Amino acid sequence: MLNKQYVIALKSIWLKEINRFLRIWVQTLVPPAITMSLYFVIFGNLIGSRIGEMNGFSYMAFIVPGLIMMSVITNSYSNVAASFFSAKFQRNVEELLVAPVPNYLIILGYVGGGVARGLMVGLIVTLVSLFFVDLHIHNMLILIASVLCTSILFSIGGLLNAIFAKTFDDISIIPTFVLTPLTYLGGVFYSISLLPDFWQGVSHFNPVFYMINAFRYGFLGVSDVPVAWSFAVIFAFIFIGYSLVAMLLKKGVGIRS
């Protein structure tokens, strides 16, 4: 159980993070909706009509879970990375580190803000998708668990990026050269059953592949890998990421320098 002071500290960090992206909602919430609408129009209507069905579903219905998850991943990551680095740059984070607040509460507060933005954007994109396709939920529990765990994981990843970043340019390197390729090659627009055996094997080393498939199973009931494997991979990365961030904060890496 958290004592009252810890609850207040966690709530303060979390609300600060939420207010931060809500104040500039035109920059944080609207662009993903517009971008995903273009994906739905171009890939769903124009290209999808030529491709036909995939795994027994229309191409539009097949790619919707992947596009929703892609928006959740991107926004969860970028929210925490930008926010924590800004706190470093403005020297605000030092006030947290010297305050009687455990590091795990700092992590939970920032991650909570990233999750809030990721889920909010995911909901907006889901609502936008209803204008293009009828969505049917196969398993609500798996759907919620997969999107929540994925948002937590990439919020931790954004925090990790911000800890090591020394300039604002550094927080865009990982999303551009790592996150985007992994997401696009994670099965957003295709099933790996279409790939040659070698590339199917390579896809299994992409962690985003498991997250998208778990989420797709929640919607459509189909997945290229067992759902249990997907959650095992997600939980493993969350544990590793959290442990690494906690260790770095304790040592003051990227902060006390």
Side-chain angles (χ1 to χ4, degrees):
M1 293 290 294
L2 294 176
N3 61 41
K4 185 176 181 180
Q5 289 77 12
Y6 286 180
V7 171
I8 293 174
L10 177 59
K11 183 180 178 180
S12 298
I13 299 172
W14 186 59
L15 290 178
K16 177 182 74 70
E17 289 301 296
I18 293 177
N19 289 332
R20 174 185 169 275
F21 71 79
L22 287 180
R23 282 199 307 268
I24 51 173
W25 61 273
V26 175
Q27 302 175 39
T28 56
L29 302 180
V30 175
I34 296 175
T35 301
M36 292 305 154
S37 296
L38 294 176
Y39 276 119
F40 289 135
V41 171
I42 297 173
F43 287 93
N45 286 340
L46 301 182
I47 298 178
S49 60
R50 297 175 179 270
I51 294 177
E53 292 188 351
M54 186 168 293
N55 285 5
F57 297 91
S58 68
Y59 186 67
M60 173 74 84
F62 182 83
I63 67 172
V64 164
L67 291 176
I68 296 172
M69 186 62 84
M70 184 167 67
S71 66
V72 170
I73 289 173
T74 303
N75 285 274
S76 299
Y77 190 98
S78 61
N79 188 80
V80 181
S83 178
F84 192 81
F85 181 78
S86 296
K88 282 177 51 179
F89 182 78
Q90 297 169 1
R91 317 300 293 185
N92 295 334
V93 72
E94 295 177 353
E95 298 176 5
L96 280 176
L97 294 177
V98 300
V101 179
N103 287 340
Y104 72 85
L105 286 184
I106 298 176
I107 297 173
L108 290 177
Y110 277 95
V111 169
V115 170
R117 176 175 167 183
L119 296 184
M120 197 172 295
V121 169
L123 178 60
I124 292 173
V125 174
T126 302
L127 294 176
V128 170
S129 70
L130 295 176
F131 290 97
F132 300 93
V133 63
D134 293 327
L135 292 179
H136 301 282
I137 298 176
H138 174 73
N139 190 310
M140 179 63 76
L141 180 61
I142 291 179
L143 185 73
I144 295 175
S146 60
V147 71
L148 180 61
C149 292
T150 299
S151 184
I152 291 173
L153 173 58
F154 281 93
S155 294
I156 293 174
L159 187 54
L160 188 62
N161 187 181
I163 289 174
F164 283 110
K166 296 182 178 179
T167 66
F168 279 100
D169 291 336
D170 291 339
I171 63 176
S172 64
I173 292 176
I174 298 298
T176 302
F177 296 102
V178 178
L179 196 57
T180 299
L182 287 179
T183 303
Y184 278 92
L185 297 176
V188 173
F189 300 104
Y190 59 87
S191 168
I192 67 165
S193 60
L194 301 176
L195 301 175
D197 292 340
F198 173 77
W199 291 108
Q200 287 189 35
V202 172
S203 296
H204 284 81
F205 290 95
N206 182 355
V208 178
F209 162 74
Y210 295 93
M211 302 165 200
I212 291 176
N213 271 275
F215 192 61
R216 181 171 286 136
Y217 181 86
F219 267 117
L220 307 179
V222 297
S223 176
D224 290 321
V225 291
V227 176
W229 292 8
S230 297
F231 279 103
V233 170
I234 296 172
F235 290 146
F237 273 92
I238 289 177
F239 175 77
I240 294 171
Y242 175 84
S243 300
L244 185 56
V245 168
M247 180 189 69
L248 294 173
L249 285 181
K250 183 177 180 180
K251 293 183 176 181
V253 176
I255 300 172
R256 300 190 181 104
S257 59

